[in-house]
Amino acid sequence: MHTSIIPRFWMTGSTNRILLVFGLLASLAGCGYNPIYQTTGMVITGYSESEATPYVMQMSDANMACNLGNSLDPLVYSFGRVTDRPDTTGSLLQLLAANCSEEQAWEEELRYLRANYQGDVPAAKDARNAAKRWHAITAERRLKAFERAMRAYEYDPADPAAECPILHADQDELTFLLGLLTGLQAIINDTSSGGAAGIPKDIAPQAERAAQCLDNEKWGGIPDAIRANVWLLLPDTRPATSPDPWRVLRRSAELGVKAGFRASMALEVVAAETKGRDDVIANVIARFVASEDGFEVSEDYRLVDRVGRSVILHGSDKHWTEAYGYRTPRTYFGKMSPESSTDAEVMDLDSLL
């Protein structure tokens, strides 16, 4: 006599339990094709592109924006399992998430410099290794952002004869442009990680080539700043008739100020750090602070300017921490030492806090 179907099932042994597991997995897989999920995916990805992305670009809180990328990317991009992959929004979300991990890498870089200043070798080594790990994570995220942006506009960056993609709106141009920028940044982060992420270096000439598809003045000099960075990183990619990369970067920075988002100025600092040009770093930081007077930030791309500012402030913090053991004092942003201040005579501890 059978008392219950469930006890009988479990009494049949391991074979039936395995079949049950496969059955559950099959049910879950089947849920991926649920039309409700497909509809939800289309709604969420559509809303993200038409409403969320422009909203995020207008944000001034870069930290909140990067956390948005951390938290939403797995959810939004998972809808690529049931509908078209949301590559345009997915590219932005990975870009934002990469900003978060880069902030962690920067904190570890500063911890390394503080420990080095204090002569604490074990702490310095620990911080150095932690920074490399965060740079590797950042490089991987930026590679994804680059790949998604290229895929979103059906552009094959590896094809030297590829035609420029059709970009219907400003948001498309910006997404494509930021994708190129993150590709370049992925290489730089990977270099800082000691090559742990294994980012292919051929992304750099691909980004340099594709950057010519965009209007340099309209986008605040970012396309040419990308190209100049690549020329400095890989001198063989520089055309024989091209101007000096440092002049291109300086001109791009000026265009960025006019456009209302100073990302090109940040790229000038990145190039200077890569090439060990402390003189250029000091000059750019001073120009950035001077540009604040009368500067009108672009309402549509406020976040781009804020992220650029964080890059330049970190460049200043690295210098101050290495030289003095602490970050840039609030009233000394734009200066490279307390002594260089015109009000050094009245300097006290409060001004350094």
Side-chain angles (χ1 to χ4, degrees):
M1 183 175 71
H2 303 304
T3 56
S4 167
I5 190 172
I6 295 177
R8 182 164 60 88
F9 179 85
W10 283 104
M11 289 296 289
T12 54
S14 59
T15 301
N16 282 335
R17 285 196 290 274
I18 293 171
L19 289 174
L20 176 62
V21 171
F22 273 104
L24 290 171
L25 290 174
S27 298
L28 291 172
C31 289
Y33 297 98
N34 189 312
I36 294 177
Y37 291 170
Q38 289 179 318
T39 303
T40 304
M42 293 171 67
V43 170
I44 286 182
T45 54
Y47 174 81
S48 298
E49 290 177 15
S50 64
E51 301 297 333
T53 297
Y55 177 81
V56 170
M57 283 298 162
Q58 292 177 343
M59 291 175 64
S60 59
D61 190 333
N63 181 261
M64 183 179 288
C66 85
N67 281 302
L68 186 76
N70 265 346
S71 57
L72 281 188
D73 181 76
L75 172 64
V76 174
Y77 207 72
S78 70
F79 283 104
R81 295 163 61 94
V82 295
T83 184
D84 293 338
R85 286 181 295 196
D87 281 321
T88 51
T89 302
S91 175
L92 175 65
L93 291 173
Q94 280 292 326
L95 180 155
L96 295 174
N99 289 345
C100 263
S101 51
E102 188 170 59
E103 284 277 355
Q104 295 291 332
W106 288 351
E107 286 301 315
E108 296 298 343
E109 285 178 353
L110 295 180
R111 186 163 72 89
Y112 160 75
L113 292 171
R114 279 195 301 276
N116 199 44
Y117 183 84
Q118 295 164 355
D120 188 342
V121 176
K125 285 184 176 179
D126 181 69
R128 185 93 169 183
N129 288 330
K132 287 182 177 180
R133 292 180 186 183
W134 281 112
H135 274 300
I137 292 171
T138 305
E140 290 169 355
R141 290 177 178 178
R142 285 181 164 154
L143 177 62
K144 285 184 182 177
F146 171 78
E147 291 173 339
R148 289 179 182 180
M150 299 302 102
R151 199 162 51 228
Y153 299 103
E154 300 179 344
Y155 180 80
D156 181 5
D159 180 2
E163 295 184 0
C164 290
I166 299 174
L167 305 170
H168 296 285
D170 286 354
Q171 187 170 313
D172 293 322
E173 293 185 26
L174 180 65
T175 302
F176 187 73
L177 175 59
L178 293 181
L180 300 177
L181 178 57
T182 52
L184 172 66
Q185 290 174 310
I187 296 172
I188 296 170
N189 287 122
D190 193 30
T191 301
S192 299
S193 77
I199 304 298
K201 298 293 186 294
D202 57 1
I203 286 180
Q206 294 171 8
E208 192 272 345
R209 187 166 55 243
Q212 299 175 66
C213 295
L214 295 149
D215 186 319
N216 188 53
E217 290 202 18
K218 176 180 179 180
W219 293 110
I222 297 176
D224 276 0
I226 291 174
R227 300 186 70 201
N229 266 272
V230 174
W231 296 341
L232 290 169
L233 201 63
L234 303 172
D236 291 344
T237 63
R238 181 184 170 192
T241 57
S242 67
D244 176 63
W246 296 108
R247 285 177 52 199
V248 174
L249 287 165
R250 180 67 178 262
R251 170 64 177 155
S252 298
E254 293 170 358
L255 291 175
V257 175
K258 289 181 181 177
F261 44 90
R262 294 165 288 185
S264 295
M265 204 172 277
L267 282 170
E268 193 176 358
V269 164
V270 170
E273 288 184 342
T274 304
K275 304 302 291 185
R277 291 288 302 271
D278 291 343
D279 57 325
V280 176
I281 293 173
N283 182 270
V284 178
I285 293 172
R287 282 192 281 121
F288 181 87
V289 174
S291 73
E292 300 271 33
D293 186 20
F295 177 70
E296 293 186 14
V297 65
S298 166
E299 292 293 325
D300 291 334
Y301 307 117
R302 187 181 289 113
L303 182 64
V304 178
D305 185 69
R306 295 298 296 184
V307 172
R309 184 182 192 280
S310 67
V311 172
I312 291 170
L313 180 58
H314 178 63
S316 177
D317 283 345
K318 283 175 65 177
H319 167 79
W320 276 82
T321 305
E322 184 175 21
Y324 306 107
Y326 51 83
R327 300 167 199 254
T328 313
R330 182 180 58 81
T331 58
Y332 281 74
F333 185 33
K335 302 163 187 171
M336 305 307 277
S337 74
E339 291 75 22
S340 66
S341 171
T342 55
D343 56 353
E345 296 80 7
V346 296
M347 183 186 69
D348 56 22
L349 184 59
D350 286 342
S351 67
L352 292 172
L353 297 178

